[in-house]
């Protein structure tokens, strides 16, 4: 492959076509079904599907088949088949549904307003994960331009990822014959530690959690009558959380939620720590003088990728401060989100959480725990030599630095499903979600040079897969 030609072609595609398309895509508020229960009626998802499917159609290579597949009462998927020069299959995956708006955007930015500023395209969903469809097809197109041989490719773009991909298993079933048995999976929905090299995701955490509700009174009462007699739901909440988390360190106490960390992953965390150094926490928007949970960088990386961690992400039953009178509260609900180690069984973890929280209720309070999104994580199978060499070469060619291997703290439910279904497949899980890109939060941006170089690397790896 002529690397210069590859990069020039890809850069031009991004500048002339992908960025304008992403600017239109950002304007569509196609929130994932969890965040827009009326998604079907509102029609935004269909708009996003149409935009991406039309772009892919206009940029099709000869022989390519594109279908928008929609099973009844399910979110749609875009499915593309691109015949190749061997019987082997490469599956490229991405998603087009988005996280909700979230507060805190800068005054001149907005989730549904594309703002191009320097190297960055701001707006919801371009980096997570709208660009994936465009980049996947462009990488294959670049190979086509140079007449480079490759395996048959299928591109699958779903619309339910931010809701836990609950529709996807039905499509994997429905499209079984057409997907085939991929020997390589490429997923462009992950993160990168910096924008200076290729980052290969070696693991993803799983997710457990749900809504914990504590009820003590039939209604709220004057705290002059209630406090001192009626137990405080907030104090009971503190007790219950202390059963699962050490309140001083943030360590999760439940041993069932921990797994052994493989030695290779510990070594890779040390290498990643030497590349990233303090940026592991400096890149987070800490308030002045706030300290991270450990002073060791590699320990912070392991805490984020191989250890369970609890976030309390929502609360009901507590008035806003503006409306807070002196009242003994009757009932409190919190939503718990527990990230799990890659090889931890999420169903078992959720059962453990449930049993721990509802057993022996303090003061015999009425306590319920309703499980929410649950999904096991993923740990990459051992990397084959050709792929490790290919990633290294691609990173050197397009970034001038070696590839780095690191786990991610987030989840991509589909990877767990694929790992189980195709245990022999190799995985390239990478992405543009680097420092400050802030997917799911305010001021999300896509780092355009990263997107371009990553696309070039994907083309390189697809070519190497054929020649291995
Ligand atoms: Zn995503």
């Amino acid at each position: 492959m002529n690397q210069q030609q590859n990069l020039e072609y890809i850069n031009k595609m991004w500048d002339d076509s992908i960025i304008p398309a992403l600017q239109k895509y950002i304007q569509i508020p196609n929130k994932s079904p969890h965040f827009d229960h009326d998604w079907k009626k509102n029609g935004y998802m269909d708009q996003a599907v149409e935009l991406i499917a039309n772009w892919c159609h206009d940029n099709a290579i000869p022989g390519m088949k594109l279908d928008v597949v929609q099973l009844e009462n399910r979110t749609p998927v875009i499915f593309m088949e691109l015949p190749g020069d061997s019987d082997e299959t490469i599956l490229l995956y991405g998603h087009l549904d988005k996280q909700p708006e979230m507060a805190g955007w800068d005054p001149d930015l907005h989730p549904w307003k594309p703002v191009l500023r320097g190297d960055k395209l701001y707006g919801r969903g371009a980096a997570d994960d709208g660009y994936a469809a465009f980049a996947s097809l462009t990488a294959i197109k670049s190979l086509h331009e140079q007449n480079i041989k490759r395996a048959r490719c299928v591109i699958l773009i779903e619309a339910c990822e931010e809701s836990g991909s609950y529709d996807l298993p039905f499509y994997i079933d429905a499209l079984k014959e057409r997907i085939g048995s991929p020997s390589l999976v490429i997923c462009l929905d992950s993160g990168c530690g910096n924008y200076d090299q290729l980052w290969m995701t070696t693991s993803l955490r799983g997710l457990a959690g749900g809504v914990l509700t504590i009820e003590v009174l039939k209604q709220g009462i004057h705290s002059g009558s209630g406090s001192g007699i009626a137990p405080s739901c907030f104090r009971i909440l503190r007790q219950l959380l202390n059963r699962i988390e050490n309140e001083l360190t943030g360590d999760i106490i439940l041993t069932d939620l921990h797994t052994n960390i493989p030695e290779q992953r510990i070594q890779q965390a040390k290498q990643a720590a030497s590349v990233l150094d303090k940026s592991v926490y400096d890149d987070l928007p800490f308030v002045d003088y706030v300290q991270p949970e450990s002073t060791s960088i590699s320990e912070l990386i392991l805490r984020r990728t191989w250890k369970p961690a609890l976030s309390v992400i929502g609360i009901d039953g507590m008035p806003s401060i503006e409306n807070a009178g002196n009242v003994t509260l009757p009932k409190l609900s919190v939503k718990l989100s527990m990230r799990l180690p890659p090889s931890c069984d999420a169903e078992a973890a959720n059962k453990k959480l449930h049993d721990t929280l509802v057993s022996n209720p303090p003061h015999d309070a009425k306590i319920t725990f309703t499980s929410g999104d649950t999904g096991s994580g993923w740990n990459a199978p051992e990397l084959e030599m050709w792929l490790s060499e290919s990633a290294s070469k691609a990173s050197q060619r397009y970034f001038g630095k070696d590839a780095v291997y690191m786990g991610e703290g987030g989840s991509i439910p589909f990877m767990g499903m694929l790992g189980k279904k195709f245990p022999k497949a190799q995985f390239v899980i990478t992405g543009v979600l680097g420092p400050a890109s802030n997917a799911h939060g305010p001021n999300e941006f896509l780092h355009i040079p990263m997107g371009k170089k990553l696309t070039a690397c994907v083309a390189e790896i697809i070519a190497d897969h054929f020649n291995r």
Side-chain angles (χ1 to χ4, degrees), residues 95 97 127-129 161-162 189-190 411-412 433 440:
H95 68 88
D97 55 316
D128 181 17
D129 182 43
E161 197 274 344
E162 302 292 3
D189 185 31
S190 192
S411 311
I412 309 174
L433 303 178
H440 300 202

